[in-house]
Coordinates of all heavy atoms in Angstrom, one line a residue:
A25 N 0.8 -1.2 0.0 CA 0.0 0.0 0.0 C 0.9 1.2 0.0 O 2.0 1.2 0.6 CB -0.9 0.0 1.2
I26 N 0.4 2.3 -0.7 CA 1.2 3.5 -0.7 C 0.3 4.6 -0.3 O -0.9 4.7 -0.6 CB 1.6 3.8 -2.2 CG1 2.5 2.7 -2.7 CG2 2.3 5.2 -2.3 CD1 2.9 2.8 -4.1
Y27 N 0.8 5.5 0.6 CA 0.0 6.6 1.2 C 0.9 7.9 1.1 O 2.1 7.9 1.3 CB -0.3 6.4 2.6 CG -1.0 5.1 2.9 CD1 -0.4 4.0 3.3 CD2 -2.4 5.0 2.7 CE1 -1.1 2.8 3.5 CE2 -3.1 3.9 2.9 CZ -2.4 2.7 3.3 OH -3.1 1.6 3.6
I28 N 0.2 9.0 0.8 CA 0.8 10.3 0.9 C 0.0 11.0 2.0 O -1.2 11.1 2.0 CB 0.7 11.1 -0.4 CG1 1.5 10.3 -1.5 CG2 1.3 12.5 -0.2 CD1 1.4 10.9 -2.8
L29 N 0.8 11.5 3.0 CA 0.2 12.1 4.2 C 0.5 13.6 4.2 O 1.5 14.0 3.7 CB 0.7 11.5 5.5 CG 0.7 10.0 5.6 CD1 1.3 9.6 7.0 CD2 -0.6 9.4 5.5
N30 N -0.5 14.4 4.7 CA -0.2 15.8 4.9 C 0.6 16.0 6.1 O 1.0 15.1 6.8 CB -1.4 16.7 4.8 CG -2.4 16.4 6.0 OD1 -2.0 15.8 7.0 ND2 -3.6 16.9 5.9
D31 N 0.9 17.3 6.5 CA 1.8 17.5 7.6 C 1.1 17.3 9.0 O 1.7 17.3 10.0 CB 2.3 18.9 7.6 CG 1.3 20.0 7.5 OD1 0.1 19.7 7.4 OD2 1.6 21.2 7.6
E32 N -0.2 16.9 8.9 CA -0.9 16.5 10.2 C -1.1 15.0 10.3 O -1.7 14.5 11.2 CB -2.3 17.2 10.2 CG -2.2 18.7 10.3 CD -3.5 19.4 10.2 OE1 -4.5 18.7 9.9 OE2 -3.6 20.6 10.4
G33 N -0.5 14.3 9.3 CA -0.7 12.8 9.3 C -1.9 12.3 8.7 O -2.2 11.1 8.8
K34 N -2.7 13.1 8.0 CA -4.0 12.7 7.4 C -3.6 12.2 6.0 O -2.8 12.8 5.3 CB -4.9 13.8 7.3 CG -5.2 14.5 8.6 CD -6.3 13.8 9.3 CE -6.8 14.6 10.5 NZ -6.6 14.1 11.8
I35 N -4.3 11.1 5.5 CA -4.1 10.6 4.2 C -4.8 11.5 3.2 O -6.0 11.8 3.3 CB -4.8 9.2 4.1 CG1 -4.2 8.2 5.1 CG2 -4.7 8.7 2.6 CD1 -4.9 6.9 5.2
I36 N -4.0 11.9 2.2 CA -4.5 12.8 1.1 C -4.6 12.0 -0.2 O -5.3 12.4 -1.1 CB -3.8 14.1 1.0 CG1 -2.3 13.9 0.8 CG2 -4.0 15.0 2.2 CD1 -1.5 15.2 0.5
K37 N -3.8 11.0 -0.3 CA -3.8 10.1 -1.5 C -3.3 8.7 -1.1 O -2.4 8.6 -0.3 CB -2.9 10.7 -2.6 CG -3.1 10.0 -3.9 CD -2.7 11.0 -5.0 CE -3.0 10.3 -6.3 NZ -3.8 10.9 -7.2
S38 N -4.0 7.7 -1.7 CA -3.6 6.3 -1.3 C -3.9 5.4 -2.4 O -4.7 5.6 -3.3 CB -4.2 5.9 0.0 OG -5.6 5.6 -0.3
S39 N -3.2 4.2 -2.3 CA -3.5 3.1 -3.3 C -4.7 2.3 -2.8 O -5.1 1.4 -3.5 CB -2.3 2.3 -3.5 OG -1.9 1.6 -2.2
G40 N -5.2 2.5 -1.7 CA -6.3 1.8 -1.1 C -6.5 2.2 0.3 O -5.5 2.3 1.1
E41 N -7.7 2.5 0.7 CA -7.9 3.1 2.0 C -9.1 2.4 2.8 O -10.1 2.2 2.2 CB -8.1 4.6 1.9 CG -8.2 5.3 3.2 CD -8.3 6.8 3.0 OE1 -7.9 7.3 2.0 OE2 -8.9 7.5 3.9
D42 N -8.9 2.2 4.0 CA -9.9 1.7 4.9 C -9.7 2.3 6.3 O -8.8 3.1 6.5 CB -10.0 0.2 4.9 CG -8.7 -0.5 5.4 OD1 -7.9 0.2 6.1 OD2 -8.5 -1.6 5.1
E43 N -10.6 2.0 7.2 CA -10.4 2.5 8.6 C -9.1 2.2 9.2 O -8.5 3.0 9.9 CB -11.6 2.1 9.4 CG -12.9 2.9 9.2 CD -12.7 4.4 9.4 OE1 -12.2 4.8 10.4 OE2 -13.1 5.1 8.5
D44 N -8.6 0.9 9.0 CA -7.3 0.6 9.5 C -6.2 1.4 9.0 O -5.3 1.7 9.7 CB -7.0 -0.9 9.3 CG -7.9 -1.8 10.1 OD1 -8.4 -1.4 11.2 OD2 -8.1 -3.0 9.7
S45 N -6.3 1.8 7.7 CA -5.3 2.6 7.1 C -5.1 3.9 7.8 O -4.0 4.4 8.0 CB -5.6 2.8 5.6 OG -5.6 1.6 4.9
K46 N -6.3 4.5 8.2 CA -6.2 5.8 8.9 C -5.5 5.7 10.2 O -4.7 6.5 10.6 CB -7.6 6.4 9.0 CG -8.3 6.8 7.8 CD -9.7 7.2 8.0 CE -10.4 7.5 6.7 NZ -11.8 7.9 6.8
T47 N -5.8 4.6 10.9 CA -5.2 4.4 12.2 C -3.7 4.2 12.0 O -2.8 4.7 12.8 CB -5.8 3.2 12.9 OG1 -7.2 3.5 13.1 CG2 -5.2 2.9 14.3
V48 N -3.3 3.3 11.1 CA -1.9 3.0 10.8 C -1.1 4.2 10.5 O -0.1 4.5 11.0 CB -1.7 1.9 9.8 CG1 -0.3 1.8 9.3 CG2 -2.3 0.6 10.3
C49 N -1.7 5.0 9.6 CA -1.0 6.3 9.1 C -0.9 7.3 10.3 O 0.1 8.0 10.4 CB -1.7 6.9 7.9 SG -1.4 5.8 6.4
S50 N -1.9 7.4 11.1 CA -1.8 8.2 12.3 C -0.6 7.8 13.2 O 0.1 8.6 13.7 CB -3.1 8.3 13.0 OG -3.0 9.0 14.2
V51 N -0.5 6.5 13.5 CA 0.5 6.0 14.3 C 1.9 6.2 13.7 O 2.8 6.6 14.3 CB 0.3 4.5 14.6 CG1 1.5 3.9 15.3 CG2 -1.0 4.3 15.5
L52 N 2.0 6.0 12.4 CA 3.3 6.2 11.7 C 3.7 7.7 11.7 O 4.9 8.0 11.8 CB 3.2 5.6 10.3 CG 3.1 4.1 10.2 CD1 3.0 3.7 8.7 CD2 4.3 3.4 10.9
H53 N 2.7 8.5 11.6 CA 3.0 10.0 11.6 C 3.6 10.3 13.0 O 4.6 11.1 13.1 CB 1.7 10.8 11.4 CG 1.9 12.3 11.6 ND1 2.6 13.0 10.7 CD2 1.5 13.1 12.5 CE1 2.6 14.3 11.1 NE2 1.9 14.4 12.2
N54 N 3.0 9.8 14.1 CA 3.6 10.0 15.4 C 5.0 9.4 15.5 O 5.8 10.0 16.2 CB 2.6 9.4 16.5 CG 1.4 10.2 16.6 OD1 1.3 11.4 16.4 ND2 0.3 9.5 17.0
L55 N 5.2 8.3 14.9 CA 6.5 7.7 14.9 C 7.5 8.6 14.2 O 8.6 8.8 14.7 CB 6.5 6.3 14.2 CG 7.9 5.6 14.0 CD1 8.5 5.3 15.3 CD2 7.7 4.4 13.1
V56 N 7.2 9.2 13.1 CA 8.0 10.1 12.4 C 8.3 11.4 13.3 O 9.5 11.8 13.4 CB 7.4 10.5 11.0 CG1 8.1 11.7 10.5 CG2 7.4 9.4 10.1
V57 N 7.3 11.9 13.9 CA 7.5 13.1 14.8 C 8.5 12.8 15.9 O 9.4 13.6 16.1 CB 6.1 13.6 15.3 CG1 6.3 14.6 16.4 CG2 5.2 14.1 14.2
H58 N 8.3 11.6 16.5 CA 9.2 11.3 17.6 C 10.6 11.0 17.2 O 11.6 11.3 17.8 CB 8.6 10.1 18.4 CG 7.5 10.5 19.3 ND1 6.2 10.5 18.9 CD2 7.4 11.0 20.6 CE1 5.4 11.0 19.9 NE2 6.1 11.2 20.9
T59 N 10.7 10.3 16.0 CA 12.0 10.0 15.5 C 12.8 11.2 15.1 O 14.0 11.3 15.3 CB 11.9 9.0 14.3 OG1 11.2 7.8 14.8 CG2 13.3 8.6 13.8
R60 N 12.0 12.1 14.4 CA 12.6 13.4 14.1 C 13.2 14.1 15.3 O 14.3 14.6 15.2 CB 11.6 14.3 13.4 CG 12.2 15.6 12.8 CD 11.1 16.5 12.2 NE 10.4 15.8 11.2 CZ 9.1 15.6 11.2 NH1 8.3 16.0 12.2 NH2 8.4 15.1 10.2
G61 N 12.4 14.1 16.4 CA 12.9 14.7 17.6 C 14.1 14.1 18.2 O 15.1 14.7 18.6
A62 N 14.2 12.7 18.1 CA 15.3 12.0 18.6 C 16.6 12.3 17.7 O 17.7 12.5 18.3 CB 15.1 10.5 18.5
V63 N 16.4 12.4 16.4 CA 17.5 12.8 15.6 C 18.1 14.1 15.9 O 19.3 14.4 16.0 CB 17.1 12.7 14.1 CG1 18.2 13.3 13.2 CG2 16.9 11.2 13.7
R64 N 17.2 15.1 16.2 CA 17.6 16.5 16.5 C 18.3 16.5 17.9 O 19.2 17.3 18.2 CB 16.4 17.4 16.5 CG 16.0 17.7 15.1 CD 15.0 18.8 15.1 NE 14.5 19.0 13.7 CZ 13.3 19.3 13.4 NH1 12.4 19.4 14.3 NH2 12.9 19.4 12.1
D65 N 17.8 15.6 18.8 CA 18.4 15.5 20.2 C 19.9 15.0 20.1 O 20.7 15.5 20.8 CB 17.6 14.6 21.1 CG 16.3 15.2 21.5 OD1 16.1 16.4 21.4 OD2 15.5 14.5 22.1
I66 N 20.1 14.1 19.1 CA 21.4 13.6 18.9 C 22.3 14.6 18.3 O 23.5 14.8 18.7 CB 21.4 12.2 18.1 CG1 20.6 11.2 18.9 CG2 22.7 11.8 17.7 CD1 20.2 9.9 18.1
Q67 N 21.8 15.2 17.2 CA 22.6 16.2 16.5 C 21.7 17.3 16.0 O 20.9 17.1 15.1 CB 23.3 15.5 15.3 CG 24.2 16.4 14.5 CD 25.5 16.8 15.2 OE1 26.1 16.1 15.9 NE2 25.8 18.1 15.1
V68 N 21.8 18.5 16.6 CA 20.9 19.5 16.3 C 20.8 19.9 14.8 O 19.7 20.2 14.3 CB 21.2 20.8 17.1 CG1 20.3 22.0 16.8 CG2 21.2 20.5 18.6
E69 N 21.9 19.9 14.1 CA 21.9 20.3 12.7 C 21.4 19.2 11.8 O 21.2 19.5 10.6 CB 23.3 20.7 12.3 CG 23.9 21.9 13.0 CD 24.6 21.4 14.3 OE1 25.1 20.3 14.4 OE2 24.6 22.3 15.2
D70 N 21.2 18.0 12.3 CA 20.8 16.9 11.4 C 19.2 16.8 11.3 O 18.5 17.4 12.1 CB 21.3 15.6 12.0 CG 21.6 14.5 11.0 OD1 21.3 14.8 9.8 OD2 22.1 13.5 11.3
R71 N 18.8 16.1 10.3 CA 17.3 15.9 10.2 C 17.0 14.6 9.5 O 17.8 14.0 8.8 CB 16.7 17.0 9.4 CG 17.0 17.1 7.9 CD 16.3 18.2 7.2 NE 15.8 17.7 6.0 CZ 15.5 18.4 5.0 NH1 15.6 19.7 5.0 NH2 15.1 17.8 3.9
L72 N 15.8 14.1 9.9 CA 15.4 12.8 9.4 C 15.0 12.8 7.9 O 14.3 13.7 7.5 CB 14.1 12.3 10.2 CG 13.5 11.0 9.8 CD1 14.5 9.8 10.1 CD2 12.2 10.8 10.6
K73 N 15.6 12.0 7.1 CA 15.4 11.9 5.7 C 14.6 10.7 5.3 O 13.8 10.8 4.3 CB 16.7 11.9 4.9 CG 17.6 13.1 5.1 CD 17.1 14.1 4.1 CE 18.2 15.1 3.9 NZ 17.9 16.0 2.8
F74 N 14.8 9.5 5.9 CA 14.2 8.3 5.5 C 14.1 7.4 6.7 O 15.1 7.4 7.5 CB 14.9 7.7 4.4 CG 14.2 6.5 3.7 CD1 13.2 6.8 2.8 CD2 14.4 5.2 4.0 CE1 12.5 5.8 2.1 CE2 13.8 4.2 3.4 CZ 12.8 4.5 2.5
L75 N 13.0 6.6 6.9 CA 12.9 5.7 8.0 C 12.4 4.4 7.4 O 11.4 4.3 6.7 CB 11.9 6.3 9.0 CG 11.6 5.4 10.2 CD1 12.8 5.3 11.1 CD2 10.5 6.1 11.0
R76 N 13.1 3.3 7.8 CA 12.7 1.9 7.4 C 12.6 1.1 8.6 O 13.5 1.0 9.4 CB 13.8 1.3 6.5 CG 13.5 -0.1 6.0 CD 14.6 -0.6 5.1 NE 14.3 -1.9 4.7 CZ 15.2 -2.9 4.7 NH1 16.5 -2.6 4.9 NH2 14.9 -4.1 4.4
V77 N 11.4 0.4 8.7 CA 11.1 -0.5 9.8 C 10.6 -1.8 9.2 O 9.7 -1.8 8.4 CB 10.0 0.1 10.7 CG1 9.7 -0.8 11.8 CG2 10.4 1.5 11.2
R78 N 11.2 -2.8 9.7 CA 10.8 -4.2 9.2 C 10.4 -5.0 10.4 O 11.0 -5.1 11.4 CB 12.0 -4.9 8.5 CG 11.6 -6.1 7.8 CD 12.6 -6.6 6.9 NE 12.2 -7.9 6.3 CZ 12.7 -8.5 5.3 NH1 13.7 -7.9 4.7 NH2 12.2 -9.6 4.9
T79 N 9.2 -5.6 10.2 CA 8.7 -6.5 11.2 C 8.5 -7.9 10.5 O 8.9 -8.1 9.4 CB 7.3 -6.1 11.7 OG1 6.3 -6.2 10.6 CG2 7.3 -4.6 12.2
D80 N 8.0 -8.9 11.2 CA 7.8 -10.2 10.6 C 6.8 -10.1 9.5 O 7.0 -10.9 8.5 CB 7.2 -11.2 11.7 CG 8.3 -11.6 12.7 OD1 9.5 -11.5 12.4 OD2 7.9 -12.0 13.8
K81 N 5.8 -9.2 9.6 CA 4.8 -9.2 8.5 C 4.9 -8.1 7.5 O 4.3 -8.1 6.5 CB 3.4 -9.2 9.2 CG 3.1 -10.4 10.0 CD 1.7 -10.3 10.6 CE 1.4 -11.5 11.4 NZ 0.0 -11.5 11.9
H82 N 5.5 -7.0 7.9 CA 5.5 -5.8 7.1 C 6.9 -5.1 7.0 O 7.7 -5.2 8.0 CB 4.5 -4.8 7.6 CG 3.1 -5.3 7.5 ND1 2.5 -5.8 8.6 CD2 2.2 -5.4 6.5 CE1 1.2 -6.1 8.3 NE2 1.1 -5.9 7.0
E83 N 7.1 -4.4 5.9 CA 8.2 -3.5 5.8 C 7.6 -2.1 5.6 O 6.8 -1.9 4.7 CB 9.1 -3.9 4.7 CG 10.4 -3.0 4.6 CD 11.3 -3.5 3.5 OE1 10.9 -3.9 2.4 OE2 12.5 -3.5 3.8
L84 N 8.0 -1.2 6.4 CA 7.5 0.2 6.3 C 8.6 1.1 5.8 O 9.7 1.1 6.4 CB 7.0 0.7 7.7 CG 6.2 -0.3 8.5 CD1 6.0 0.2 9.9 CD2 4.8 -0.5 7.8
L85 N 8.4 1.8 4.7 CA 9.3 2.7 4.1 C 8.7 4.1 4.2 O 7.6 4.3 3.6 CB 9.6 2.3 2.7 CG 10.0 0.9 2.5 CD1 10.0 0.5 1.0 CD2 11.4 0.6 3.1
I86 N 9.3 5.0 4.9 CA 8.7 6.3 5.2 C 9.7 7.4 4.8 O 10.9 7.4 5.3 CB 8.4 6.4 6.7 CG1 7.5 5.3 7.1 CG2 7.7 7.8 7.0 CD1 7.3 5.1 8.6
A87 N 9.3 8.2 3.9 CA 10.1 9.4 3.5 C 9.3 10.7 3.9 O 8.4 11.1 3.3 CB 10.3 9.4 2.0
P88 N 9.7 11.2 5.1 CA 9.0 12.4 5.6 C 9.3 13.7 4.9 O 10.5 13.9 4.6 CB 9.4 12.4 7.1 CG 10.7 11.7 7.1 CD 10.7 10.7 6.0
E89 N 8.3 14.4 4.7 CA 8.4 15.8 4.3 C 9.4 16.0 3.1 O 10.3 16.8 3.1 CB 8.9 16.7 5.4 CG 7.9 16.6 6.6 CD 8.4 17.4 7.8 OE1 9.5 18.0 7.7 OE2 7.6 17.5 8.7
Q90 N 9.1 15.2 2.0 CA 10.0 15.3 0.9 C 9.6 16.4 -0.1 O 10.5 16.8 -0.9 CB 9.9 13.9 0.1 CG 10.5 12.8 0.9 CD 12.0 13.1 1.4 OE1 12.8 13.4 0.5 NE2 12.2 13.1 2.6
V91 N 8.4 16.9 -0.1 CA 8.0 18.0 -1.0 C 7.6 19.2 -0.2 O 6.6 19.2 0.4 CB 6.8 17.5 -1.9 CG1 6.4 18.6 -2.9 CG2 7.1 16.2 -2.6
D92 N 8.5 20.2 -0.2 CA 8.2 21.5 0.5 C 7.9 21.3 2.0 O 7.2 22.1 2.6 CB 7.1 22.2 -0.2 CG 7.3 22.5 -1.6 OD1 8.5 22.8 -2.0 OD2 6.4 22.6 -2.4
G93 N 8.3 20.2 2.6 CA 8.1 20.0 4.0 C 6.6 19.7 4.3 O 6.3 19.8 5.5
K94 N 5.8 19.4 3.3 CA 4.4 19.3 3.6 C 3.8 17.9 3.5 O 2.7 17.6 4.0 CB 3.6 20.2 2.6 CG 3.9 21.6 2.8 CD 3.1 22.4 1.8 CE 3.5 23.9 1.9 NZ 2.7 24.7 0.9
Y95 N 4.5 17.0 2.9 CA 4.0 15.7 2.6 C 4.9 14.6 3.1 O 6.2 14.7 3.0 CB 3.7 15.5 1.1 CG 2.8 16.6 0.6 CD1 3.3 17.6 -0.2 CD2 1.5 16.6 0.9 CE1 2.5 18.6 -0.7 CE2 0.6 17.6 0.4 CZ 1.2 18.6 -0.4 OH 0.4 19.6 -0.8
T96 N 4.4 13.4 3.5 CA 5.2 12.3 3.8 C 4.7 11.1 3.0 O 3.5 10.8 2.9 CB 5.0 11.9 5.3 OG1 5.5 13.0 6.1 CG2 5.7 10.7 5.7
L97 N 5.6 10.4 2.4 CA 5.4 9.2 1.6 C 5.5 8.0 2.5 O 6.6 7.8 3.2 CB 6.3 9.1 0.4 CG 6.2 7.8 -0.4 CD1 4.9 7.7 -1.1 CD2 7.4 7.8 -1.4
V98 N 4.5 7.1 2.5 CA 4.6 5.9 3.3 C 4.3 4.7 2.4 O 3.3 4.7 1.6 CB 3.5 5.9 4.4 CG1 3.5 4.5 5.2 CG2 3.7 7.0 5.4
V99 N 5.2 3.7 2.4 CA 5.0 2.5 1.6 C 5.0 1.3 2.6 O 5.9 1.2 3.5 CB 6.1 2.2 0.6 CG1 5.9 0.9 -0.1 CG2 6.1 3.4 -0.4
I100 N 3.9 0.5 2.6 CA 3.8 -0.7 3.5 C 3.8 -1.9 2.6 O 2.9 -2.0 1.7 CB 2.6 -0.6 4.3 CG1 2.6 0.7 5.2 CG2 2.5 -1.9 5.2 CD1 1.3 0.9 6.0
Q101 N 4.8 -2.8 2.7 CA 4.8 -3.9 1.8 C 5.1 -5.2 2.6 O 5.6 -5.1 3.8 CB 5.9 -3.7 0.7 CG 7.3 -3.5 1.3 CD 8.2 -3.1 0.1 OE1 7.8 -2.8 -1.0 NE2 9.5 -3.1 0.4
D102 N 4.9 -6.3 2.0 CA 5.1 -7.6 2.6 C 6.5 -8.0 2.2 O 6.8 -8.2 1.1 CB 4.1 -8.6 2.1 CG 4.3 -10.0 2.6 OD1 5.3 -10.3 3.3 OD2 3.3 -10.8 2.5
P103 N 7.4 -8.1 3.2 CA 8.8 -8.4 2.9 C 9.1 -9.8 2.4 O 10.1 -10.1 1.9 CB 9.6 -8.2 4.2 CG 8.6 -8.4 5.3 CD 7.2 -7.9 4.6
S104 N 8.1 -10.7 2.6 CA 8.3 -12.1 2.2 C 8.0 -12.3 0.7 O 8.4 -13.3 0.2 CB 7.4 -13.0 3.0 OG 6.0 -12.8 2.8
K105 N 7.3 -11.4 0.1 CA 7.0 -11.5 -1.3 C 8.2 -11.2 -2.2 O 8.9 -10.2 -2.0 CB 5.8 -10.6 -1.7 CG 4.5 -11.1 -1.2 CD 3.4 -10.2 -1.7 CE 2.0 -10.7 -1.2 NZ 1.0 -9.9 -1.7
K106 N 8.4 -12.0 -3.2 CA 9.5 -11.8 -4.1 C 8.9 -11.0 -5.3 O 7.9 -11.4 -5.9 CB 10.1 -13.1 -4.6 CG 10.6 -13.9 -3.5 CD 12.0 -13.6 -3.2 CE 12.5 -14.6 -2.1 NZ 13.6 -14.2 -1.5
H107 N 9.6 -9.9 -5.7 CA 9.1 -9.1 -6.8 C 9.9 -9.4 -8.1 O 11.0 -9.5 -8.1 CB 9.1 -7.6 -6.5 CG 8.2 -7.3 -5.3 ND1 6.9 -7.2 -5.4 CD2 8.5 -7.1 -4.0 CE1 6.3 -7.0 -4.3 NE2 7.3 -6.9 -3.4

């Protein structure tokens, strides 16, 4: 699934959306906000460019604020599938 989120974590475009998607994207937006803060705590001049999280069932690829600092790209894929 592919999602584009606004700066508030709301889905503005997606490859498929349901109620679970809204919850997942809200949680991922919070993850980005906290990770961004952690990166700045470590090195003030640094900033988060990309975040990859892999679990047993999913791989989350997150590119925060790539266009004018307003949008975040989220890709959720099954890491066990061969492409």
Side-chain angles (χ1 to χ4, degrees):
I26 301 171
Y27 303 97
I28 298 175
L29 312 179
N30 66 12
D31 57 353
E32 297 175 351
K34 306 275 191 240
I35 299 170
I36 56 174
K37 191 154 182 127
S38 73
S39 63
E41 187 176 334
D42 57 24
E43 281 304 309
D44 288 338
S45 297
K46 292 177 185 177
T47 302
V48 167
C49 287
S50 176
V51 170
L52 292 178
H53 175 71
N54 288 333
L55 175 64
V56 167
V57 169
H58 285 88
T59 305
R60 185 184 302 120
V63 168
R64 286 188 187 143
D65 287 348
I66 294 167
Q67 183 68 43
V68 176
E69 299 87 26
D70 210 354
R71 68 178 225 201
L72 179 65
K73 296 276 198 171
F74 193 80
L75 180 62
R76 178 178 175 222
V77 178
R78 187 167 177 166
T79 68
D80 289 337
K81 295 183 179 183
H82 298 98
E83 182 174 41
L84 312 170
L85 307 168
I86 305 168
E89 301 178 356
Q90 294 303 304
V91 181
D92 300 328
K94 297 180 182 178
Y95 306 103
T96 297
L97 174 66
V98 176
V99 177
I100 302 173
Q101 59 188 13
D102 182 345
S104 65
K105 287 187 179 177
K106 304 274 184 193
H107 297 283

